[in-house]
Amino acid sequence: MPAPVTHAAPAAQNRTTDSFDLPPQAQVIALDDFSDTVDRASTGGKTVINLADSLRNVRTTLQVCVGSVSLTVGELMGVVERQVIVLDRGVHQPVDIMLEGQVVARGQLVAVGDQFAVRITELPVPLGLTAPAAP
């Protein structure tokens, strides 16, 4: 049986040293003091960070979905200016308010001045919390 053939990569010529050739270096970084976001009420001796306060300044984008329609690519390619495409939702039905593709609330589409706006009509109970008991 013949010996297996191996191929060696050609030697690099005039190779310069760049950052990829160096071993990784540890770097010390300073972090902000989170003591103002720590909930002092401990659970089982462990301090809990109040996540609601920590997340208040995180920016996100909401989208409002007024409806949808199913078309073939051929129908879509045949659309012309001023053509009306009827959506699957009635004028008086609520619109979906979406975050990251998930419906988080529903509302009524309204106008404020010359801009669209949404009046919240359905807001689910926040995750992890239960609805308050009726008096």
Side-chain angles (χ1 to χ4, degrees):
M1 177 187 297
V5 177
T6 58
H7 298 280
Q13 297 175 352
N14 299 329
R15 186 170 183 174
T16 60
T17 304
D18 48 23
S19 61
F20 296 112
D21 295 332
L22 301 175
Q25 299 291 316
Q27 186 175 13
V28 177
I29 57 172
L31 297 175
D32 293 333
D33 182 17
F34 291 114
S35 61
D36 59 337
T37 62
V38 174
D39 185 355
R40 295 298 174 195
S42 298
T43 312
K46 297 179 183 176
T47 305
V48 179
I49 294 177
N50 187 343
L51 290 178
D53 287 341
S54 300
L55 295 175
R56 288 192 188 279
N57 293 325
V58 175
R59 284 231 168 258
T60 188
T61 300
L62 291 177
Q63 294 180 326
V64 177
C65 179
V66 297
S68 62
V69 64
S70 178
L71 301 171
T72 65
V73 173
E75 290 169 327
L76 183 58
M77 291 173 65
V79 170
V80 295
E81 259 184 66
R82 304 181 69 77
Q83 180 176 344
V84 175
I85 298 174
V86 179
L87 303 177
D88 64 350
R89 194 167 299 188
V91 174
H92 297 289
Q93 287 182 293
V95 296
D96 292 334
I97 301 167
M98 304 177 71
L99 175 65
E100 296 292 325
Q102 300 295 316
V103 176
V104 295
R106 289 197 169 84
Q108 178 185 16
L109 199 58
V110 296
V112 175
D114 61 349
Q115 290 187 298
F116 286 114
V118 178
R119 177 180 292 121
I120 305 297
T121 59
E122 300 175 37
L123 192 60
V125 175
L127 293 177
L129 300 177
T130 58

